[in-house]
């Protein structure tokens, strides 16, 4: 038995009230559709998943990422019609299909695997995922006969009052034998209410054909949450955040207040790191061991070494070696690389710069397009004036230099090894090693008795 996953993403997202398809809206740091794609991949399908797209197809293609195939449903004629457009691509590829929706981001890979295994073990033609909810409003109901066998699924809009009182709902995930599916799709009849072809009608069709139909109940009913509104998006975000945070705590990370820590799906955190409240760890951030992050920190696509501290600061696209201390209220921008034991304090900003070991920039300043050596002191108020209105220019500060408070380094410029600048200097020319300069513009201190 070979499998291919099919993800339906051609809906109009009417209730979401957005100019963009709902399935590309971010959820726990990645587009909603990516959750279904990654879950199917993790479930073990050997073929790349197929996504059925509709309006705004280019946006959905971009959000889905690589390793995905697409077919387009030209007009919104229902879920049954959407799957039909995948037939030319899949007819000869797999014996069974796993069909799901791009707006079901909470279904776990192990749930998909359990559905596939039950479908195979019971030799079913159609196996559907179900759940029992205390409030099933809005979901299609699963109707069973007196023997407990599934006989059909009825959408809420077409359900009788008795059927609406049923608590077992159809999640919208199906395992189905392909050889039966393709001709069965051609036999679907339009809904009398909306005129659409419903995938749910396959259940009654399979029963009428005498084909075995099975149901697998969800172990966690939260997985059944479909995202059709912004309210449901927020609820899905809450559930995913809770899952992510629980995972990292089980991996040895301390979250001081898990309800106030936001960790993206792609992040990696080392053991014995402590994350304080109101911290956001986004994108492909990597954090080492024994770090202290937060409170009030934002890390975005950052790489943090071991034993680092990032307190109340923004670190985006920057790389920190071991034992680096940042903050509070610092901003490290893309291209920044801090070596071991660098200290960056309050209201300091660094962009596209390399800073050597043990260098200190304790407060108030800006380094842009700079290369700074080891054991350098960057005094308060230091600014690299790297932009002339047209181009960016580099600043080089060599090992052991001392940059006095309020120094303006007008790039391109180099400060030599062990050189010093006096407070308030405007440095427009290279400073030789072991030389003190001061003034506006900065000049070397004259030899004793020459004045």
């Amino acid at each position: 038995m070979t499998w291919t996953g099919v993800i339906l993403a051609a809906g109009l997202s009417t209730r979401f009230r957005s100019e963009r398809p709902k399935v590309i809206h971010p959820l726990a740091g990645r587009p909603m559709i990516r959750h279904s794609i990654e879950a199917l991949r993790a479930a073990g399908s050997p073929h790349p998943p197929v996504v059925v797209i509709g309006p705004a197809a280019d946006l959905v293609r971009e959000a889905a990422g690589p390793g995905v195939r697409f077919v387009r449903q030209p007009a919104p004629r229902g879920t049954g019609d959407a799957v039909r457009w995948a037939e030319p691509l899949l007819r000869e590829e797999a014996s069974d299909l796993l069909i799901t929706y791009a707006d079901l981001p909470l279904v776990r890979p192990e749930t998909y695997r359990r559905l596939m295994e039950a479908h195979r073990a019971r030799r079913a033609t159609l196996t559907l995922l179900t759940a029992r909810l205390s409030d099933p409003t809005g979901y299609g109901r699963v109707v069973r006969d007196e023997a407990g066998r599934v006989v059909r699924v009825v959408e809420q809009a077409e359900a009788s009052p008795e059927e609406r009182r049923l608590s077992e709902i159809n999640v919208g995930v199906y395992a189905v034998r392909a050889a039966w599916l393709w001709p069965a799709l051609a036999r679907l009849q339009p809904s009398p209410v909306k005129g659409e072809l419903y995938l749910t009608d396959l259940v009654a069709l399979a029963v009428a054909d005498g084909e075995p139909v099975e149901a697998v109940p969800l172990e966690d009913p939260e997985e059944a949450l479909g995202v059709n509104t912004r309210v449901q998006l927020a609820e899905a975000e809450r559930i995913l955040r809770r899952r992510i945070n629980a995972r990292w705590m089980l991996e040895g990370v301390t979250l001081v207040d898990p309800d106030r820590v936001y960790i993206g799906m792609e992040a990696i955190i080392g053991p014995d790191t402590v994350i304080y409240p109101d911290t956001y760890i986004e994108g492909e951030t990597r954090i080492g061991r024994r770090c202290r992050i937060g409170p009030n920190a934002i890390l975005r696509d950052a790489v943090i070494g071991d034993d680092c501290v990032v307190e109340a600061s923004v670190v985006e696209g920057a790389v920190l070696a071991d034992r680096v201390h940042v903050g509070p209220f610092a901003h490290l921008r893309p291209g920044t690389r801090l070596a071991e034991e660098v200290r960056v304090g309050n209201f300091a900003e660094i962009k596209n710069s390399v800073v050597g070991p043990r260098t200190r920039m304790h407060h108030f300043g800006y380094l842009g397009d700079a290369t700074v050596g080891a054991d350098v002191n960057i005094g308060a108020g230091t600014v690299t004036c790297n932009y002339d209105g047209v181009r960016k220019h580099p600043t080089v500060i060599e090992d052991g230099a001392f940059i006095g408070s309020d120094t303006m380094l007008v790039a391109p410029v180099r400060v030599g090894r062990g050189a010093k600048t006096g407070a308030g200097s405007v440095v427009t020319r290279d400073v030789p090693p072991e030389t003190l300069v001061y003034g506006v513009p900065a000049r070397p201190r004259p030899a004793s008795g020459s004045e």
Side-chain angles (χ1 to χ4, degrees), residues 356-399:
R358 300 173 301 282
T359 286
R360 302 160 304 282
M361 185 180 181
H362 286 299
H363 30 232
F364 309 110
Y366 170 70
L367 294 178
D369 303 294
T371 301
V372 183
D375 301 299
V376 173
N377 182 81
I378 308 292
T382 294
V383 174
T384 56
C385 307
N386 58 323
Y387 184 51
D388 64 6
V390 178
R391 293 176 298 171
K392 300 290 180 69
H393 299 282
T395 297
V396 177
I397 305 172
E398 296 182 355
D399 296 350

Side-chain angles (χ1 to χ4, degrees), residues 416-430:
R417 179 185 295 267
K420 297 181 179 181
T421 68
S425 298
V426 177
V427 180
T428 59
R429 298 180 181 179
D430 291 352

Side-chain angles (χ1 to χ4, degrees), residues 146-162:
E146 294 180 355
R149 294 183 294 258
V150 175
V151 293
R152 65 191 178 98
V153 172
V154 58
E155 298 292 342
Q156 173 157 312
E158 300 177 7
S160 67
E162 293 78 11

